[in-house]
PDB file of all heavy atoms in Angstrom:
ATOM      1  N   ALA A 199      -2.130  22.242  18.705  1.00 70.00           N
ATOM      2  CA  ALA A 199      -2.239  23.708  18.761  1.00 70.00           C
ATOM      3  C   ALA A 199      -3.683  24.156  18.615  1.00 70.00           C
ATOM      4  O   ALA A 199      -4.141  25.072  19.311  1.00 70.00           O
ATOM      5  CB  ALA A 199      -1.372  24.326  17.668  1.00 70.00           C
ATOM      6  N   ASP A 200      -4.429  23.492  17.733  1.00 69.00           N
ATOM      7  CA  ASP A 200      -5.844  23.827  17.544  1.00 69.00           C
ATOM      8  C   ASP A 200      -6.654  23.581  18.810  1.00 69.00           C
ATOM      9  O   ASP A 200      -7.626  24.295  19.092  1.00 69.00           O
ATOM     10  CB  ASP A 200      -6.442  23.014  16.396  1.00 69.00           C
ATOM     11  CG  ASP A 200      -5.907  23.429  15.031  1.00 69.00           C
ATOM     12  OD1 ASP A 200      -5.347  24.535  14.936  1.00 69.00           O
ATOM     13  OD2 ASP A 200      -6.047  22.641  14.084  1.00 69.00           O
ATOM     14  N   LEU A 201      -6.237  22.569  19.572  1.00 66.00           N
ATOM     15  CA  LEU A 201      -6.954  22.218  20.804  1.00 66.00           C
ATOM     16  C   LEU A 201      -6.545  23.090  21.988  1.00 66.00           C
ATOM     17  O   LEU A 201      -7.163  23.021  23.052  1.00 66.00           O
ATOM     18  CB  LEU A 201      -6.721  20.744  21.149  1.00 66.00           C
ATOM     19  CG  LEU A 201      -7.329  19.709  20.193  1.00 66.00           C
ATOM     20  CD1 LEU A 201      -6.847  18.309  20.562  1.00 66.00           C
ATOM     21  CD2 LEU A 201      -8.846  19.774  20.225  1.00 66.00           C
ATOM     22  N   GLY A 202      -5.487  23.889  21.811  1.00 74.00           N
ATOM     23  CA  GLY A 202      -5.046  24.752  22.893  1.00 74.00           C
ATOM     24  C   GLY A 202      -3.760  24.326  23.554  1.00 74.00           C
ATOM     25  O   GLY A 202      -3.427  24.798  24.644  1.00 74.00           O
ATOM     26  N   GLY A 203      -3.029  23.397  22.920  1.00 73.00           N
ATOM     27  CA  GLY A 203      -1.749  22.965  23.466  1.00 73.00           C
ATOM     28  C   GLY A 203      -1.697  21.474  23.703  1.00 73.00           C
ATOM     29  O   GLY A 203      -2.726  20.784  23.754  1.00 73.00           O
ATOM     30  N   MET A 204      -0.464  20.959  23.850  1.00 67.00           N
ATOM     31  CA  MET A 204      -0.269  19.530  24.017  1.00 67.00           C
ATOM     32  C   MET A 204      -0.984  18.974  25.242  1.00 67.00           C
ATOM     33  O   MET A 204      -1.444  17.829  25.246  1.00 67.00           O
ATOM     34  CB  MET A 204       1.233  19.220  24.098  1.00 67.00           C
ATOM     35  CG  MET A 204       1.560  17.741  23.968  1.00 67.00           C
ATOM     36  SD  MET A 204       1.050  17.023  22.385  1.00 67.00           S
ATOM     37  CE  MET A 204       2.220  17.801  21.285  1.00 67.00           C
ATOM     38  N   ASP A 205      -1.106  19.774  26.297  1.00 71.00           N
ATOM     39  CA  ASP A 205      -1.790  19.307  27.506  1.00 71.00           C
ATOM     40  C   ASP A 205      -3.235  18.907  27.218  1.00 71.00           C
ATOM     41  O   ASP A 205      -3.780  18.021  27.880  1.00 71.00           O
ATOM     42  CB  ASP A 205      -1.763  20.388  28.585  1.00 71.00           C
ATOM     43  CG  ASP A 205      -0.376  20.567  29.175  1.00 71.00           C
ATOM     44  OD1 ASP A 205       0.474  19.683  28.957  1.00 71.00           O
ATOM     45  OD2 ASP A 205      -0.132  21.591  29.835  1.00 71.00           O
ATOM     46  N   LYS A 206      -3.850  19.563  26.230  1.00 67.00           N
ATOM     47  CA  LYS A 206      -5.221  19.240  25.858  1.00 67.00           C
ATOM     48  C   LYS A 206      -5.309  17.937  25.063  1.00 67.00           C
ATOM     49  O   LYS A 206      -6.347  17.282  25.040  1.00 67.00           O
ATOM     50  CB  LYS A 206      -5.814  20.380  25.018  1.00 67.00           C
ATOM     51  CG  LYS A 206      -5.811  21.734  25.708  1.00 67.00           C
ATOM     52  CD  LYS A 206      -6.774  21.765  26.877  1.00 67.00           C
ATOM     53  CE  LYS A 206      -6.842  23.177  27.469  1.00 67.00           C
ATOM     54  NZ  LYS A 206      -7.756  23.255  28.629  1.00 67.00           N
ATOM     55  N   LEU A 207      -4.195  17.587  24.421  1.00 68.00           N
ATOM     56  CA  LEU A 207      -4.189  16.382  23.597  1.00 68.00           C
ATOM     57  C   LEU A 207      -3.884  15.119  24.387  1.00 68.00           C
ATOM     58  O   LEU A 207      -4.345  14.029  24.045  1.00 68.00           O
ATOM     59  CB  LEU A 207      -3.160  16.545  22.466  1.00 68.00           C
ATOM     60  CG  LEU A 207      -3.141  15.498  21.348  1.00 68.00           C
ATOM     61  CD1 LEU A 207      -4.496  15.399  20.664  1.00 68.00           C
ATOM     62  CD2 LEU A 207      -2.063  15.839  20.330  1.00 68.00           C
ATOM     63  N   TYR A 208      -3.127  15.257  25.474  1.00 66.00           N
ATOM     64  CA  TYR A 208      -2.715  14.078  26.237  1.00 66.00           C
ATOM     65  C   TYR A 208      -3.873  13.207  26.720  1.00 66.00           C
ATOM     66  O   TYR A 208      -3.783  11.968  26.666  1.00 66.00           O
ATOM     67  CB  TYR A 208      -1.830  14.489  27.418  1.00 66.00           C
ATOM     68  CG  TYR A 208      -0.399  14.771  27.033  1.00 66.00           C
ATOM     69  CD1 TYR A 208       0.278  15.876  27.545  1.00 66.00           C
ATOM     70  CD2 TYR A 208       0.287  13.924  26.165  1.00 66.00           C
ATOM     71  CE1 TYR A 208       1.594  16.144  27.180  1.00 66.00           C
ATOM     72  CE2 TYR A 208       1.595  14.186  25.809  1.00 66.00           C
ATOM     73  CZ  TYR A 208       2.245  15.293  26.310  1.00 66.00           C
ATOM     74  OH  TYR A 208       3.551  15.544  25.948  1.00 66.00           O
ATOM     75  N   PRO A 209      -4.985  13.771  27.206  1.00 71.00           N
ATOM     76  CA  PRO A 209      -6.093  12.898  27.631  1.00 71.00           C
ATOM     77  C   PRO A 209      -6.656  12.055  26.494  1.00 71.00           C
ATOM     78  O   PRO A 209      -7.056  10.902  26.709  1.00 71.00           O
ATOM     79  CB  PRO A 209      -7.141  13.894  28.149  1.00 71.00           C
ATOM     80  CG  PRO A 209      -6.349  15.094  28.557  1.00 71.00           C
ATOM     81  CD  PRO A 209      -5.245  15.184  27.556  1.00 71.00           C
ATOM     82  N   ILE A 210      -6.676  12.616  25.277  1.00 69.00           N
ATOM     83  CA  ILE A 210      -7.147  11.857  24.115  1.00 69.00           C
ATOM     84  C   ILE A 210      -6.165  10.739  23.794  1.00 69.00           C
ATOM     85  O   ILE A 210      -6.551   9.589  23.549  1.00 69.00           O
ATOM     86  CB  ILE A 210      -7.309  12.794  22.899  1.00 69.00           C
ATOM     87  CG1 ILE A 210      -8.355  13.875  23.197  1.00 69.00           C
ATOM     88  CG2 ILE A 210      -7.704  12.001  21.661  1.00 69.00           C
ATOM     89  CD1 ILE A 210      -8.469  14.928  22.107  1.00 69.00           C
ATOM     90  N   ILE A 211      -4.874  11.063  23.809  1.00 70.00           N
ATOM     91  CA  ILE A 211      -3.848  10.060  23.535  1.00 70.00           C
ATOM     92  C   ILE A 211      -3.927   8.924  24.548  1.00 70.00           C
ATOM     93  O   ILE A 211      -3.856   7.745  24.194  1.00 70.00           O
ATOM     94  CB  ILE A 211      -2.450  10.708  23.558  1.00 70.00           C
ATOM     95  CG1 ILE A 211      -2.317  11.730  22.425  1.00 70.00           C
ATOM     96  CG2 ILE A 211      -1.359   9.655  23.459  1.00 70.00           C
ATOM     97  CD1 ILE A 211      -1.036  12.539  22.465  1.00 70.00           C
ATOM     98  N   LYS A 212      -4.084   9.272  25.819  1.00 62.00           N
ATOM     99  CA  LYS A 212      -4.098   8.278  26.889  1.00 62.00           C
ATOM    100  C   LYS A 212      -5.221   7.265  26.699  1.00 62.00           C
ATOM    101  O   LYS A 212      -5.064   6.076  27.021  1.00 62.00           O
ATOM    102  CB  LYS A 212      -4.256   8.987  28.245  1.00 62.00           C
ATOM    103  CG  LYS A 212      -4.176   8.064  29.460  1.00 62.00           C
ATOM    104  CD  LYS A 212      -2.797   7.431  29.591  1.00 62.00           C
ATOM    105  CE  LYS A 212      -2.687   6.599  30.862  1.00 62.00           C
ATOM    106  NZ  LYS A 212      -1.384   5.913  30.979  1.00 62.00           N
ATOM    107  N   LYS A 213      -6.347   7.696  26.158  1.00 64.00           N
ATOM    108  CA  LYS A 213      -7.463   6.784  25.947  1.00 64.00           C
ATOM    109  C   LYS A 213      -7.180   5.776  24.836  1.00 64.00           C
ATOM    110  O   LYS A 213      -7.763   4.695  24.814  1.00 64.00           O
ATOM    111  CB  LYS A 213      -8.732   7.574  25.593  1.00 64.00           C
ATOM    112  CG  LYS A 213      -9.362   8.309  26.764  1.00 64.00           C
ATOM    113  CD  LYS A 213     -10.757   8.783  26.436  1.00 64.00           C
ATOM    114  CE  LYS A 213     -10.755   9.848  25.371  1.00 64.00           C
ATOM    115  NZ  LYS A 213     -12.128  10.382  25.111  1.00 64.00           N
ATOM    116  N   GLN A 214      -6.271   6.119  23.926  1.00 65.00           N
ATOM    117  CA  GLN A 214      -6.062   5.283  22.753  1.00 65.00           C
ATOM    118  C   GLN A 214      -4.758   4.501  22.765  1.00 65.00           C
ATOM    119  O   GLN A 214      -4.636   3.511  22.050  1.00 65.00           O
ATOM    120  CB  GLN A 214      -6.138   6.144  21.483  1.00 65.00           C
ATOM    121  CG  GLN A 214      -7.527   6.730  21.265  1.00 65.00           C
ATOM    122  CD  GLN A 214      -7.622   7.520  19.983  1.00 65.00           C
ATOM    123  OE1 GLN A 214      -6.626   7.750  19.302  1.00 65.00           O
ATOM    124  NE2 GLN A 214      -8.820   7.952  19.641  1.00 65.00           N
ATOM    125  N   GLN A 215      -3.761   4.943  23.539  1.00 63.00           N
ATOM    126  CA  GLN A 215      -2.528   4.158  23.631  1.00 63.00           C
ATOM    127  C   GLN A 215      -1.953   4.301  25.045  1.00 63.00           C
ATOM    128  O   GLN A 215      -1.745   5.404  25.537  1.00 63.00           O
ATOM    129  CB  GLN A 215      -1.519   4.575  22.559  1.00 63.00           C
ATOM    130  CG  GLN A 215      -1.174   6.038  22.461  1.00 63.00           C
ATOM    131  CD  GLN A 215      -0.514   6.368  21.131  1.00 63.00           C
ATOM    132  OE1 GLN A 215      -1.007   6.013  20.076  1.00 63.00           O
ATOM    133  NE2 GLN A 215       0.622   7.043  21.181  1.00 63.00           N
ATOM    134  N   PRO A 216      -1.714   3.179  25.693  1.00 63.00           N
ATOM    135  CA  PRO A 216      -1.329   3.164  27.106  1.00 63.00           C
ATOM    136  C   PRO A 216      -0.061   3.944  27.432  1.00 63.00           C
ATOM    137  O   PRO A 216       0.121   4.367  28.574  1.00 63.00           O
ATOM    138  CB  PRO A 216      -1.147   1.669  27.404  1.00 63.00           C
ATOM    139  CG  PRO A 216      -2.021   0.974  26.419  1.00 63.00           C
ATOM    140  CD  PRO A 216      -1.950   1.810  25.170  1.00 63.00           C
ATOM    141  N   LEU A 217       0.819   4.137  26.435  1.00 63.00           N
ATOM    142  CA  LEU A 217       2.030   4.909  26.703  1.00 63.00           C
ATOM    143  C   LEU A 217       1.697   6.325  27.169  1.00 63.00           C
ATOM    144  O   LEU A 217       2.471   6.932  27.889  1.00 63.00           O
ATOM    145  CB  LEU A 217       2.897   4.981  25.441  1.00 63.00           C
ATOM    146  CG  LEU A 217       3.703   3.744  25.071  1.00 63.00           C
ATOM    147  CD1 LEU A 217       4.400   3.960  23.739  1.00 63.00           C
ATOM    148  CD2 LEU A 217       4.732   3.431  26.148  1.00 63.00           C
ATOM    149  N   GLY A 218       0.562   6.836  26.721  1.00 60.00           N
ATOM    150  CA  GLY A 218       0.159   8.172  27.122  1.00 60.00           C
ATOM    151  C   GLY A 218       0.938   9.289  26.475  1.00 60.00           C
ATOM    152  O   GLY A 218       0.881  10.438  26.912  1.00 60.00           O
ATOM    153  N   ARG A 219       1.654   8.984  25.412  1.00 63.00           N
ATOM    154  CA  ARG A 219       2.424   9.997  24.715  1.00 63.00           C
ATOM    155  C   ARG A 219       2.481   9.616  23.240  1.00 63.00           C
ATOM    156  O   ARG A 219       2.184   8.483  22.848  1.00 63.00           O
ATOM    157  CB  ARG A 219       3.862  10.065  25.244  1.00 63.00           C
ATOM    158  CG  ARG A 219       4.628   8.755  25.111  1.00 63.00           C
ATOM    159  CD  ARG A 219       6.104   8.916  25.434  1.00 63.00           C
ATOM    160  NE  ARG A 219       6.817   7.641  25.409  1.00 63.00           N
ATOM    161  CZ  ARG A 219       7.240   7.028  24.293  1.00 63.00           C
ATOM    162  NH1 ARG A 219       7.009   7.586  23.104  1.00 63.00           N
ATOM    163  NH2 ARG A 219       7.891   5.883  24.360  1.00 63.00           N
ATOM    164  N   MET A 220       2.859  10.578  22.410  1.00 63.00           N
ATOM    165  CA  MET A 220       3.052  10.285  21.007  1.00 63.00           C
ATOM    166  C   MET A 220       4.359   9.511  20.800  1.00 63.00           C
ATOM    167  O   MET A 220       5.336   9.741  21.506  1.00 63.00           O
ATOM    168  CB  MET A 220       3.063  11.574  20.179  1.00 63.00           C
ATOM    169  CG  MET A 220       1.704  12.243  20.095  1.00 63.00           C
ATOM    170  SD  MET A 220       1.587  13.507  18.803  1.00 63.00           S
ATOM    171  CE  MET A 220       2.483  14.867  19.585  1.00 63.00           C
ATOM    172  N   ILE A 221       4.357   8.609  19.830  1.00 59.00           N
ATOM    173  CA  ILE A 221       5.565   7.846  19.513  1.00 59.00           C
ATOM    174  C   ILE A 221       6.303   8.541  18.367  1.00 59.00           C
ATOM    175  O   ILE A 221       5.765   9.410  17.693  1.00 59.00           O
ATOM    176  CB  ILE A 221       5.236   6.388  19.137  1.00 59.00           C
ATOM    177  CG1 ILE A 221       4.352   6.329  17.882  1.00 59.00           C
ATOM    178  CG2 ILE A 221       4.567   5.697  20.307  1.00 59.00           C
ATOM    179  CD1 ILE A 221       4.098   4.929  17.377  1.00 59.00           C
ATOM    180  N   SER A 222       7.544   8.137  18.150  1.00 64.00           N
ATOM    181  CA  SER A 222       8.328   8.731  17.072  1.00 64.00           C
ATOM    182  C   SER A 222       7.977   8.074  15.748  1.00 64.00           C
ATOM    183  O   SER A 222       7.409   6.975  15.699  1.00 64.00           O
ATOM    184  CB  SER A 222       9.827   8.560  17.348  1.00 64.00           C
ATOM    185  OG  SER A 222      10.214   7.212  17.115  1.00 64.00           O
ATOM    186  N   THR A 223       8.333   8.732  14.639  1.00 66.00           N
ATOM    187  CA  THR A 223       8.053   8.168  13.324  1.00 66.00           C
ATOM    188  C   THR A 223       8.801   6.857  13.109  1.00 66.00           C
ATOM    189  O   THR A 223       8.317   5.973  12.402  1.00 66.00           O
ATOM    190  CB  THR A 223       8.434   9.157  12.213  1.00 66.00           C
ATOM    191  OG1 THR A 223       9.812   9.540  12.354  1.00 66.00           O
ATOM    192  CG2 THR A 223       7.566  10.407  12.298  1.00 66.00           C
TER     193      THR A 223
END
Side-chain angles (χ1 to χ4, degrees):
D200 290 342
L201 293 172
M204 193 61 70
D205 288 345
K206 302 292 185 181
L207 190 57
Y208 280 137
I210 298 174
I211 296 173
K212 185 65 176 177
K213 286 194 293 184
Q214 295 183 353
Q215 53 197 50
L217 283 175
R219 59 171 176 80
M220 290 195 284
I221 62 174
S222 74
T223 56

